[in-house]
Amino acid sequence: MDIIKALEWRYATKKFDSEAIISDEKIEILKNAFNLTASSYGLQPVKLLIVNNKSIQNELVPLSSNQKQVGQASHLCVFCVETTIDEAYIRAFFDRIISINNTPDAVLSPFRSSVISSFESKSDDDIFKWGAKQAYLAMGNMLTVCATQGIDACPMEGFDPEQYDRYFKLNAQGLRSVLVMPIGYRAEDDMFSTMHKVRKPLEDSIIEIK
C-alpha cells in the first residue's frame, strides 16, 4: 500500500472485529519495527508488552476507561519505560555498539562518559519523563507500520497506569506503563471507519523556509 494512502486509511479504530486475528508473521514485523524505532541516544528505554489473551484483555477493560477496544482487539500493546537508566544500563548499550560495529573503545569513551554524566544529574522523575517521550516516538512509528500492513490500531492514553503496573507486576521488572494500543482489524459496523479524515490544509500545518 502506498504510504500516503495507508495513512489516509488509518484511523483510531473504535470497534474491532474480535474474531479477526493478526498473523504471527505480521506480529513479527511489528516486533522488529518497534525494535528499530529511533530513541534518544539510541538507549531504547521502552519495552513493548504484547498481550494476546482475550481473558486478560477483558480484565483490562475496566482499567482502560472501559474502552471496549482493549478486549475486542486481536492483540494489546502496552508501551512501558525503564525506571532506571544508570551507568550499568548505559555501559551495556555502548558494549553493544562495540560488539556489533567493532568501534574502538577509545572513540566511544568521551561520548559514553558524557551520557553517564547527563543521566547521573537527572532525577527519577526526569528520567521517567524522558522515557515517556521515547514511548510516544515508538507508538508513532508503530501506528505507521501498522497502517502499511493493513492492521488497525487505536492509540490510548485513557487507562490507569498504576493499575496496569500492578496487574502485570511491572514495578518488579523496573518498568512503568505509559501508553496502550489495541491492534487488530476493524469491525464492519464501525461507523467511524468510513468517515473522511479531518486535517488542516497543508499550508496551515507546514512552514517552509527556502
Side-chain angles (χ1 to χ4, degrees):
M1 191 185 298
D2 173 83
I3 185 65
I4 298 302
K5 288 182 179 178
L7 292 174
E8 289 172 342
W9 171 86
R10 186 208 70 77
Y11 76 114
T13 307
K14 301 301 185 289
K15 185 177 181 181
F16 287 91
D17 179 350
S18 60
E19 301 299 318
I21 305 301
I22 302 171
S23 69
D24 290 342
E25 291 76 15
K26 290 209 170 186
I27 290 296
E28 283 302 309
I29 290 172
L30 297 184
K31 288 179 183 178
N32 280 282
F34 168 81
N35 201 45
L36 289 167
T37 296
S39 63
S40 178
Y41 299 108
L43 286 174
Q44 291 183 276
V46 187
K47 282 195 174 181
L48 186 64
L49 173 64
I50 303 176
V51 183
N52 179 24
N53 182 304
K54 281 292 190 290
S55 177
I56 292 174
Q57 289 169 234
N58 285 320
E59 288 179 356
L60 293 171
V61 170
L63 313 185
S64 312
S65 302
N66 288 314
Q67 296 180 88
K68 302 300 183 186
Q69 301 100 307
V70 169
Q72 298 165 346
S74 170
H75 294 66
L76 177 68
C77 297
V78 184
F79 295 79
C80 310
V81 298
E82 301 273 2
T83 56
T84 302
I85 305 294
D86 56 11
E87 182 173 344
Y89 184 99
I90 293 166
R91 286 190 176 276
F93 164 64
F94 280 92
D95 287 346
R96 284 195 296 277
I97 295 175
I98 293 170
S99 173
I100 293 170
N101 289 319
N102 296 313
T103 309
D105 185 71
V107 172
L108 294 174
S109 182
F111 182 41
R112 179 175 57 215
S113 296
S114 174
V115 176
I116 291 171
S117 176
S118 174
F119 277 87
E120 284 177 342
S121 68
K122 297 181 191 297
S123 67
D124 290 344
D125 188 55
D126 288 337
I127 290 174
F128 173 73
K129 288 177 179 176
W130 168 83
K133 291 177 181 178
Q134 313 314 306
Y136 280 88
L137 282 176
M139 175 179 272
N141 183 45
M142 291 287 282
L143 284 169
T144 299
V145 175
C146 280
T148 67
Q149 297 300 309
I151 295 170
D152 286 299
C154 184
M156 292 181 176
E157 292 179 309
F159 76 109
D160 189 324
E162 291 185 1
Q163 291 195 60
Y164 263 66
D165 293 353
R166 283 195 292 271
Y167 187 95
F168 291 110
K169 298 180 173 60
L170 295 178
N171 292 334
Q173 302 175 60
L175 299 169
R176 288 173 63 182
S177 57
V178 175
L179 296 163
V180 297
M181 187 175 78
I183 58 175
Y185 298 100
R186 64 191 68 178
E188 289 186 6
D189 60 347
D190 185 354
M191 59 179 285
F192 293 94
S193 68
T194 59
M195 291 184 175
H196 295 293
K197 195 173 291 297
V198 179
R199 291 293 187 273
K200 294 178 181 179
L202 277 180
E203 58 268 23
D204 291 341
S205 294
I206 310 296
I207 298 173
E208 289 189 282
I209 299 174
K210 298 182 179 178

